[in-house]
Amino acid sequence: LRNRTATMDTLVALGTTVAWAYSASVVLFPESFPLPARHLYFEASAMIIGLINLGHALEQRARQHSSQALEKLLDLTPQEATVIRDEGDISLPVSQIEPGMRLRLRAGHRVPVDGIIDSGEGTIDESMLTGEAWPQQKTATDPVHAGTLVVDGTLSFRATATGKNTALARIISLVRNAQSSKPRIGQLADRISAIFVPAVIIIALLSGLIWYLAGPAPQFAYSMVVITSVLIIACPCALGLATPMSIIAGVGRAAEAGILVKDADALQQASNVDTIVFDKTGTLTTGRPAVTSVTLFNHSSEQQILTLAAAVEQHSSHPLATAILARVDASALPEVSHLQTVAGKGLSAECDGHRLLLGNQLLLSDAGVDIAAANESLQNTSRQGATPVLLAIDGQLAALLAVSDPLRPETPQVVARLQQQGYQVVMLTGDRKQTAEVVAASAGIRQVIAEVLPADKASAVKRLQQQGHRVAMVGDGINDAPALAQADTGIAISGGSDIAIETATMALMRQDLRAVTDALMISVATLRNMKQNLFGAFVYNCLGIPLAAGVLYPLTGT
C-alpha cells in the first residue's frame, strides 16, 4: 500500500492472513458464526504459502544448479606465473602479479595475464579468444592475452593488465549478467497481477458490504465469510506455480535432448527469434584441421608423401602437425635427424639421407626451391579457404598438402532446415573473408560477416537487433562471449570455451548442431505451455470468485 503496487504476493499475504484470522476467530468464538460457516482454513493458509514457496524454490533450483555445474569451468588462467627477477626466475600466485612485472612463458603454458612481448618468439593458440583457427606467431611488441596457450617457443613479456582488468576477466564479468534475469513471462504475470489484485480486493469488499447491508442474519458473520472466501479462492497459488512448473518441464525436456538451459528467460526468448547467427570455427566446422587433399609433383605416392611429412611433424604440437599425423600410422614413422624450426615458415630435417623441407612458400623460396609448378594449386587451395603446406625433397618440390577446418557433417542439413522454417541464417567470424565465404557457400549460408574482433561481433549482433531482428547467437569460443551475451538468446556448443558456455543462456551438451533446432522447438513448446497454465489459472479465478462472492445464493440458498 505504501508503494502503491500490488503483486501476487499482495493477494497471497491478504488471503492467507484473512484465512488464518477467520479460522482463529471460529476457534475462539464459534457461537458468533452460523453453523454452516464454522469452517477452519489453517491448512489452506499453510498449503498456499507452501505452494508459492515451492514454485519459487523450483525456479531458483533450476538456475542455481546450472550455475554450480558451470562455476568450476571459469578457471581458464593458471594459478601461478613465472616471474623474471635479477636473482633468477621465481613462481608467484597470479593474484600477486602486478602491471610492469616481467614474466616468462614456455611451450605448453597458458598466459596468466595480459601483456606485451619484450623478447623471444613463439606460437600462441588464440582461437578461444579471436576465433582464428591457426596458432599465431608472436614476437617482440606483440600483445598476449590471459588464458591463451603457448604452442611452441619461449618468450618473456611485461604484464600490462592483471586481475579484473584482463580481456578474459572482462568477458567473465558478463557471466553474472547472464544469470540474474527473470522470465519475461513471469513479469507478464506480475503486470496482470497489478490489475487483478486490486480488482479482487474491491470485489471482496463490495461483496462483503452487500452481504452486510442486504444479507441474512447474522449479517456481519456472513459478510466476513464472503470476504474471506473471495480472498482465498482468488489466492493465486496456481499463478505462482504456472511459470516455474513450465520452466522445470522445459528444462527437463531440454536436458533429455542434451541441452542445458541456464536462464529461464532463454526459453521465452528463443521461441521468438527470427535470425540465427553462427560462429564459424568450432561451430559450423569441426574445429579440428584435417588434410583435405594432396597434390603430387614427383613420382612419390600419396602415402609416401604423408609418411615423410608426418615424420617431420611427429614431435610438433602445432594443429597442422596434428592434421597430418591423423592421416598415417604414427607408430610406424621413420626417425628424422637435424630437425630445425624456422620461425613462421616451417620445419627442415633429414630422413634416410634425404633433405626435407615442410612449410609455407617462404620456407621453400628461401631455400632456392622452384615452386612455379605449384602456383595453380596454391591459388585453388586459397580459393577453397584451405592452408597450403609444401613439401620439398632434396631441393625439389614434391607435394602440396591442403589443410582446412572441415564442416561438421550435419551443418548443411541444419542450415537448410532452419531456412525452411523461416529463420534467417548468418555466419559471423573473425576469420579471413575469403575463407569465410568458401565455408558459408559449402554450408548453404548466404549472409557472411567476416574479419571481426570479439567486440565487433557483439556490435554486429546489436546492428541486427536494431534492424528489428530477434537474434540467437551460436558459438563456442571466448571471442563469441560478448556476442552470446548481446544476443536475445546465446547458445554455446559442447566442447567450446568455458566462458562461452557460462555466458550463453543455453549450452548444447552434445557435439551435434541439430541440437540447435531441438532447442528452438522445445522453447516454443515451453512458452505455449506457460501461456496455457496462466490462462487456466485466470479462468479458474474468474469462475471461482463470483461463486465465492455468493452470486448463486438467490437461486440455491447457499
Side-chain angles (χ1 to χ4, degrees):
L1 288 176
R2 284 198 304 268
N3 295 317
R4 298 179 183 178
T5 60
T7 66
M8 288 196 307
D9 292 335
T10 307
L11 204 51
V12 170
L14 281 174
T16 54
T17 301
V18 169
W20 184 90
Y22 178 85
S23 301
S25 300
V26 171
V27 170
L28 296 174
F29 312 106
E31 67 280 355
S32 300
F33 295 86
L35 186 60
R38 295 175 188 175
H39 299 295
L40 301 180
Y41 298 101
F42 292 118
E43 83 289 346
S45 294
M47 182 183 68
I48 290 169
I49 293 174
L51 287 174
I52 294 296
N53 285 334
L54 173 64
H56 291 317
L58 290 173
E59 185 174 353
Q60 290 298 321
R61 182 174 177 272
R63 184 179 300 164
Q64 291 173 3
H65 179 73
S66 297
S67 177
Q68 291 167 2
L70 294 169
E71 188 71 26
K72 58 187 178 183
L73 300 179
L74 287 174
D75 188 14
L76 297 181
T77 56
Q79 298 299 312
E80 294 188 343
T82 301
V83 179
I84 301 174
R85 294 281 176 85
D86 292 338
E87 62 272 19
D89 294 355
I90 62 170
S91 292
L92 286 179
V94 171
S95 59
Q96 296 182 19
I97 303 301
E98 297 179 356
M101 286 186 173
R102 291 187 69 223
L103 293 88
R104 192 180 306 282
L105 289 173
R106 295 182 176 88
H109 289 185
R110 284 194 177 273
V111 181
V113 297
D114 289 0
I116 300 293
I117 297 173
D118 58 15
S119 67
E121 59 182 27
T123 306
I124 297 182
D125 183 358
E126 297 182 322
S127 59
M128 67 182 198
L129 188 63
T130 65
E132 180 64 43
W134 314 112
Q136 301 299 298
Q137 187 69 23
K138 296 286 186 177
T139 58
T141 72
D142 287 337
V144 292
H145 299 284
T148 56
L149 178 65
V150 180
V151 177
D152 191 20
T154 299
L155 51 87
S156 64
F157 72 98
R158 194 171 297 277
T160 57
T162 63
K164 296 181 180 180
N165 297 318
T166 66
L168 176 60
R170 290 195 297 271
I171 294 174
I172 291 176
S173 68
L174 295 173
V175 171
R176 308 307 170 193
N177 298 328
Q179 294 186 334
S180 60
S181 66
K182 181 176 182 179
R184 285 177 172 78
I185 194 74
Q187 296 171 1
L188 174 62
D190 284 343
R191 289 197 298 271
I192 295 174
S193 296
I195 301 173
F196 177 72
V197 172
V200 168
I201 295 173
I202 292 172
I203 291 171
L205 294 176
L206 287 177
S207 300
L209 181 63
I210 292 172
W211 275 85
Y212 182 76
L213 296 176
Q219 287 91 340
F220 179 76
Y222 275 120
S223 176
M224 289 301 299
V225 170
V226 167
I227 291 175
T228 302
S229 299
V230 171
L231 290 176
I232 291 177
I233 201 73
C235 197
C237 52
L239 293 180
L241 287 173
T243 298
M245 291 305 292
S246 294
I247 291 171
I248 293 301
V251 168
R253 184 60 59 86
E256 292 175 4
I259 304 161
L260 178 62
V261 179
K262 299 167 44 198
D263 188 330
D265 191 33
L267 291 168
Q268 181 188 1
Q269 293 283 45
S271 68
N272 295 323
V273 300
D274 56 29
T275 301
I276 315 295
V277 178
F278 285 97
D279 171 50
K280 181 184 77 70
T281 305
T283 303
L284 292 172
T285 66
T286 63
R288 297 184 298 273
V291 177
T292 54
S293 67
V294 178
T295 305
L296 304 176
F297 297 100
N298 62 15
H299 301 294
S300 300
S301 68
E302 179 176 311
Q303 192 58 43
Q304 288 174 326
I305 290 297
L306 289 171
T307 299
L308 289 175
V312 176
E313 295 279 20
Q314 60 185 310
H315 300 297
S316 173
S317 57
H318 194 285
L320 289 174
T322 304
I324 294 171
L325 287 166
R327 291 288 301 272
V328 299
D329 181 3
S331 63
L333 293 176
E335 287 296 326
V336 297
S337 60
H338 300 92
L339 180 65
Q340 292 183 338
T341 299
V342 183
K345 299 178 182 178
L347 300 167
S348 66
E350 289 185 7
C351 180
D352 295 333
H354 297 289
R355 184 65 178 170
L356 304 179
L357 294 175
L358 182 69
N360 58 25
Q361 302 171 54
L362 289 176
L363 177 68
L364 272 66
S365 296
D366 291 347
V369 178
D370 183 7
I371 61 171
N375 287 340
E376 184 178 350
S377 297
L378 285 169
Q379 293 176 3
N380 291 335
T381 301
S382 179
R383 282 195 293 268
Q384 294 168 5
T387 298
V389 179
L390 296 169
L391 175 65
I393 303 175
D394 295 330
Q396 299 296 317
L397 179 64
L400 183 151
L401 288 69
V403 181
S404 65
D405 185 9
L407 284 175
R408 293 176 183 268
E410 73 276 9
T411 293
Q413 174 189 350
V414 170
V415 171
R417 183 177 177 186
L418 290 171
Q419 291 172 339
Q420 289 171 0
Q421 293 175 349
Y423 293 104
Q424 177 181 346
V425 180
V426 180
M427 189 173 79
L428 181 63
T429 179
D431 214 340
R432 294 175 301 159
K433 184 176 181 180
Q434 184 178 18
T435 302
E437 289 177 345
V438 170
V439 173
S442 301
I445 298 175
R446 291 181 287 273
Q447 185 173 349
V448 180
I449 305 173
E451 297 179 354
V452 291
L453 298 173
D456 295 330
K457 284 194 172 186
S459 299
V461 170
K462 189 173 183 178
R463 284 194 296 272
L464 289 171
Q465 292 170 324
Q466 290 171 344
Q467 294 169 10
H469 297 291
R470 293 179 294 276
V471 180
M473 173 70 193
V474 186
D476 74 314
I478 287 181
N479 62 307
D480 300 319
L484 289 168
Q486 175 64 43
D488 298 286
T489 299
I491 304 176
I493 299 293
S494 172
S497 73
D498 301 336
I499 292 300
I501 293 174
E502 184 63 31
T503 304
T505 52
M506 291 184 179
L508 307 183
M509 293 295 100
R510 68 182 201 258
Q511 290 274 2
D512 193 333
L513 277 185
R514 283 171 290 207
V516 173
T517 58
D518 293 341
L520 297 175
M521 293 174 61
I522 290 171
S523 298
V524 171
T526 300
L527 184 67
R528 182 169 60 244
N529 185 247
M530 286 182 188
K531 292 180 177 179
Q532 290 169 347
N533 288 352
L534 289 172
F535 178 76
F538 282 113
V539 167
Y540 164 79
N541 285 329
C542 290
L543 294 176
I545 288 173
L547 297 177
V551 71
L552 295 181
Y553 181 82
L555 300 177
T556 63
T558 58

